[in-house]
Amino acid sequence: KMAEKQEEPSNAQNGEPDNAEEGEGKKKKLKREDLPPFEIVTGERLPAIFFKFQFRNVEYSSGRNKTFLCYVLEIQGKESSTSRGYLEDEHAAAHAEMAFFTNLLPRCEPHLRYNVTWYVSSSPCVACADSISDTLGKNKNLRLSIMVGRLFMWEEPEMRAALKKMKSAGCQLRIMKPQDFEYVWQNFVEQEEGEEAKGFVPWEDIQENFQYYEEKLAEIL
């Protein structure tokens, strides 16, 4: 009976997943244990479900304790190059903002110019903001623009001071507008294969939330 069973084509060939759930479970388990402290994913796009949850510019961001950072890195010199990808925090070992500087741009060559644009689900914590200010202070050939979906702990005096310091270090900080979310959707989010690229569908309160955070940021800066 067993032998007969093995000769039958597996469900996978009939377009049905063959024990898909069991396989998924195994894969997930393996992945979690083997993960480095943060994951750098370059040249790939983030799953739409992550985008829809993490990038939502809601006022109360419960459960959204991960930072997703999509970046565009332009290096200008004799040969200019542009790269893009995304980073996500894994556990608390390193925040995505710091992982960018330790792994993707550990040093700035003095004869090159670096233009970096980040689209981040929420603004940096105090420690990251201070590190960003220091990095910009040390590298005059580095320009950094950060578009954030939400402001993180913006009521805290230390946080407000850290954001001001970033601004005086030359960092351009702004709140993501609906068009920015659309840009991230088109450039950094996985599109379903074999279908026409799905257009970005703005959530109901996207515009009000943008205005809310924009006012807060203007007050702080």
Side-chain angles (χ1 to χ4, degrees):
K1 187 75 195 145
M2 279 307 285
E4 259 173 69
K5 188 141 188 58
Q6 281 169 349
E7 282 159 27
E8 284 175 22
S10 86
N11 290 340
Q13 289 162 338
N14 302 338
E16 286 175 32
D18 195 17
N19 292 347
E21 279 176 23
E22 193 186 308
E24 273 298 296
K26 280 200 191 116
K27 209 159 67 195
K28 278 202 188 99
K29 202 164 158 198
L30 185 87
K31 254 190 127 151
R32 202 157 294 144
E33 287 158 15
D34 297 350
L35 274 177
F38 43 78
E39 201 171 355
I40 294 187
V41 189
T42 43
E44 284 188 41
R45 289 168 172 251
L46 62 107
I49 190 165
F50 287 177
F51 171 81
K52 286 175 184 165
F53 180 67
Q54 297 287 354
F55 270 90
R56 260 192 101 134
N57 57 356
V58 288
E59 196 176 327
Y60 298 104
S61 51
S62 61
R64 294 174 173 83
N65 50 2
K66 235 182 161 181
T67 302
F68 275 85
L69 183 157
C70 300
Y71 64 85
V72 181
L73 166 61
E74 292 175 83
I75 303 176
Q76 294 168 337
K78 279 199 182 101
E79 301 281 311
S80 293
S81 68
T82 302
S83 58
R84 62 174 71 220
Y86 80 92
L87 286 156
E88 59 180 271
D89 290 346
E90 233 351 300
H91 322 303
H95 290 173
E97 295 91 338
M98 291 305 88
F100 179 87
F101 288 116
T102 46
N103 292 56
L104 288 162
L105 196 55
R107 47 189 296 233
C108 290
E109 302 294 341
H111 60 287
L112 297 173
R113 290 188 51 145
Y114 299 84
N115 287 327
V116 178
T117 307
W118 289 351
Y119 295 88
V120 196
S121 47
S122 75
S123 58
C125 66
V126 172
C128 286
D130 286 344
S131 285
I132 289 167
S133 301
D134 296 346
T135 305
L136 287 168
K138 287 184 198 128
N139 300 287
K140 294 297 173 206
N141 54 339
L142 169 65
R143 300 194 49 156
L144 176 62
S145 303
I146 306 180
M147 322 287 180
V148 300
R150 301 183 299 276
L151 287 174
F152 174 68
M153 294 180 71
W154 56 268
E155 291 117 327
E156 303 289 324
E158 297 168 279
M159 191 69 256
R160 297 166 90 97
L163 293 175
K164 279 198 180 103
K165 188 172 151 193
M166 273 170 57
K167 186 189 178 186
S168 45
C171 179
Q172 300 264 324
L173 187 63
R174 44 178 207 83
I175 305 295
M176 284 172 72
K177 300 178 170 137
Q179 299 88 301
D180 296 315
F181 287 107
E182 186 166 4
Y183 174 82
V184 170
W185 174 260
Q186 288 169 350
N187 291 280
F188 294 98
V189 176
E190 280 173 7
Q191 303 294 338
E192 298 280 310
E193 278 183 34
E195 290 181 36
E196 281 299 300
K198 283 199 179 113
F200 172 62
V201 181
W203 39 93
E204 210 175 296
D205 43 8
I206 190 168
Q207 183 64 29
E208 291 100 281
N209 292 349
F210 157 65
Q211 284 163 332
Y212 169 82
Y213 280 125
E214 196 175 45
E215 278 165 30
K216 299 294 171 225
L217 185 61
E219 280 166 30
I220 295 168
L221 300 181

